[in-house]
Amino acid sequence: MEKSEADGPGIRVASVAGRWVVLTTVLGSSMAMLDSTVINVALPRIGKDFGTDLAALQWTVNAYMLTLAGLILLGGALGDRYGRRRVFVIGVVWFALASLLCGIAPNAFVLIAARALQGVGGALLTPGSLALIQASFHPDDRARAVGLWSGFGGVGAAVGPFVGGWLVDGPGWRWVFLLNLPLAAVCLPVALRHVPESRDPYAHGRFDVLGAALGALALALVTYALIEAPGLGASPVVIGAAAGGVLLGVAFVRVERRRTYPMLPPSVFASRQFTTVNIVTLCVYAALGGYFFLSAIQLQVVAGYSALGAGTALLPTTVLMLLFSARSGELGQRIGPRIPLTAGPLIAATGMLLMLRVGPGSSSVRGYLTDVLPAVAVLGVGLVTLVAPLTATVLASVDTGRAGLASGINNAAARAAGLIAVAALPLLAGMGPEAYQDAGEFAAAFRRAMPMCAGLLVVGALIAWSTVRTPHSAVRDTARPECTVNCGVAAPPLEPAPEAARQADDP
């Protein structure tokens, strides 16, 4: 069963077919999102078992984020060319096998390498999940479908600390990764049987492998410099890596401007709304990446929670997202994105500042109710307000034929932001290589780090308030028949129709 781009999507969310598509895409994306947060609760135990320092724990998180951020656009391009369901299924299988390797890793080096392989699988399945939604649903139901995908996918990320804690305190941290095997076993047959295949017949030309390599290497070198700086200082290795990363980043921009089929077409940033929403995304997900990395360790090392206790303490965020994210997407569609994208980061920033109350006395029932619960509940309200409207605004800010490309760029921006935050925050907050083993040292650094994360959210809110506008109408591609997704790099760059571009940028 295969849909042509010209046929137009027609599945309704309330139909049986629509529920199967949502289930499949949520399961697939949740595997990737779950592993980006579930690892945080397991980090202290991994560090103890392998006898590693903080840098190794940062790489355990960032190896995954690095390959995911660097290859996600290329993964979307493969789906557009060879079939989105096909590439999605390959990504699920790849991710499951890499998860198995993580689960049996004998040392930190193998674990980090396996995490990098996980990121490759995530780069194949993550853009495919949203692309399948865009390709399958009726235009009138896309906002609700995206809201469900964002909400339940966000729950997959938020539930990670709870599930991870339960597994770490129970069968062991290795089951944090082995959990993906049964999820893949459910996702694969459902995808093959119930999800229609789709592809972009306009996708052609060469894949931008050079652009993907330059982007990934630039991120890798900058990340290496930031992670190793606390231990090595301003050594030639650190300075050389930082300089090399910057130079490769410049080369990446130059290559993308000159290639016929670039991975990151510069013309897509002609939409002011698209550009500014991605800047907001960078601020928001940098803050969230730093928060999730540090708060799980703070609860265990400083407050004295078990891994399960730390995960349970963060559960209210999950519950709020589960209950209200879909409605938030619909509300954002009615009132426009400006208010949610302004209020959401400010509310989340308040939650992060409330985390400063968490300390040695916060593990009691009273301490949880007065210190932890207000922080995670307020953060959850902020994420509910923000996440679904952010995704919908990205898709609405470009012509329909570029929706997949837009979502891929936004995904890459979010992952890259989290990657840099996890690498940079310990350096900026003054954490030493052994900080996570010393409650006093980590607590002091945590008190310096949370205001930095909150500040990023405030910056994102200010940018949203001053620049984000509600388009007068949905943006449509008038240059060719309506396409559901162009998730990648293979299709030639399309300039938005003048009227569509004006509407997207018109206050």
Side-chain angles (χ1 to χ4, degrees):
M1 178 173 56
E2 181 167 340
K3 291 177 65 64
S4 167
E5 294 284 355
D7 294 340
I11 297 177
R12 293 288 187 172
V13 170
S15 68
V16 174
R19 294 191 187 106
W20 281 120
V21 173
V22 170
L23 173 64
T24 305
T25 55
V26 166
L27 279 175
S29 62
S30 292
M31 288 173 59
M33 297 182 72
L34 186 66
D35 259 45
S36 67
T37 57
V38 71
I39 188 66
N40 294 325
V41 167
L43 289 175
R45 194 69 57 86
I46 293 173
K48 182 179 179 180
D49 285 358
F50 286 149
T52 60
D53 60 9
L54 182 63
L57 300 186
Q58 289 172 276
W59 276 117
T60 301
V61 175
N62 277 351
Y64 172 80
M65 301 297 290
L66 178 62
T67 50
L68 178 60
L71 301 176
I72 195 169
L73 288 176
L74 187 59
L78 291 171
D80 283 348
R81 177 78 66 84
Y82 298 115
R84 296 166 185 131
R85 185 185 65 179
R86 177 183 299 173
V87 173
F88 175 82
V89 167
I90 293 172
V92 170
V93 173
W94 185 304
F95 197 90
L97 293 176
S99 298
L100 176 62
L101 183 57
C102 289
I104 62 175
N107 52 55
F109 177 81
V110 174
L111 176 61
I112 291 169
R115 288 282 287 168
L117 290 175
Q118 266 192 319
V120 176
L124 295 175
L125 68 89
T126 299
S129 62
L130 185 56
L132 287 172
I133 287 179
Q134 287 293 112
S136 301
F137 284 100
H138 189 281
D140 293 342
D141 278 10
R142 282 180 189 161
R144 178 166 175 78
V146 169
L148 290 170
W149 177 85
S150 298
F152 285 109
V155 168
V159 80
F162 171 74
V163 174
W166 177 72
L167 292 171
V168 169
D169 285 344
W173 64 263
R174 296 180 183 276
W175 284 92
V176 165
F177 303 106
L178 298 177
L179 175 66
N180 291 318
L181 301 182
L183 290 177
V186 174
C187 183
L188 284 174
V190 174
L192 292 172
R193 179 165 181 171
H194 296 286
V195 177
E197 181 62 284
S198 64
R199 68 186 76 232
D200 184 0
Y202 299 94
H204 61 277
R206 296 179 178 178
F207 292 107
D208 187 9
V209 177
L210 177 60
L214 287 174
L217 286 173
L219 283 173
L221 288 175
V222 171
T223 301
Y224 176 83
L226 291 171
I227 290 178
E228 298 300 327
L232 299 178
S235 65
V237 173
V238 171
I239 294 175
V246 172
L247 290 175
L248 286 177
V250 172
F252 169 76
V253 173
R254 292 176 64 88
V255 166
E256 296 306 283
R257 286 179 174 177
R258 295 180 178 182
R259 292 181 78 84
T260 305
Y261 305 109
M263 182 178 75
L264 189 65
S267 60
V268 76
F269 293 100
S271 167
R272 183 180 64 188
Q273 181 105 313
F274 178 77
T275 303
T276 56
V277 170
N278 275 284
I279 294 174
V280 174
T281 297
L282 289 172
C283 295
V284 167
Y285 280 90
L288 291 177
Y291 166 81
F292 282 118
F293 176 68
L294 297 177
S295 61
I297 302 177
Q298 172 79 358
L299 287 171
Q300 294 177 74
V301 173
V302 178
Y305 282 80
S306 65
L308 176 58
T312 305
L314 300 172
L315 191 58
T317 301
T318 303
V319 175
L320 288 169
M321 294 190 70
L322 177 64
L323 294 177
F324 299 113
S325 282
R327 296 179 183 178
S328 174
E330 295 174 343
L331 177 64
Q333 187 179 29
R334 288 200 301 269
I335 69 174
R338 188 185 188 192
I339 293 177
L341 297 188
T342 302
L346 293 177
I347 297 171
T350 303
M352 290 185 182
L353 291 178
L354 289 174
M355 281 296 292
L356 294 173
R357 297 168 56 88
V358 176
S362 300
S363 58
S364 65
V365 174
R366 180 178 179 181
Y368 176 74
L369 293 176
T370 58
D371 299 342
V372 182
L373 181 59
V376 297
V378 172
L379 177 66
V381 173
L383 295 183
V384 165
T385 306
L386 168 68
V387 172
L390 180 65
T391 303
T393 305
V394 167
L395 297 178
S397 62
V398 298
D399 58 284
T400 306
R402 289 183 141 186
L405 174 63
S407 67
I409 292 172
N410 190 249
N411 260 292
R415 308 311 174 204
L419 169 74
I420 297 300
V422 170
L425 264 180
L427 173 64
L428 296 175
M431 291 186 185
E434 310 299 329
Y436 80 97
Q437 300 177 13
D438 185 306
E441 181 181 352
F442 192 89
F446 184 81
R447 286 193 295 269
R448 293 189 290 268
M450 282 301 100
M452 297 178 191
C453 293
L456 283 170
L457 288 169
V458 172
V459 170
L462 292 174
I463 294 172
W465 178 257
S466 61
T467 61
V468 172
R469 297 292 182 268
T470 302
H472 293 308
S473 62
V475 180
R476 296 294 182 208
D477 180 3
T478 59
R480 68 184 191 190
E482 179 176 304
C483 301
T484 52
V485 219
N486 171 21
C487 219
V489 299
L494 294 176
E495 295 295 338
E499 178 65 15
R502 185 192 67 78
Q503 290 176 351
D505 290 340
D506 195 8

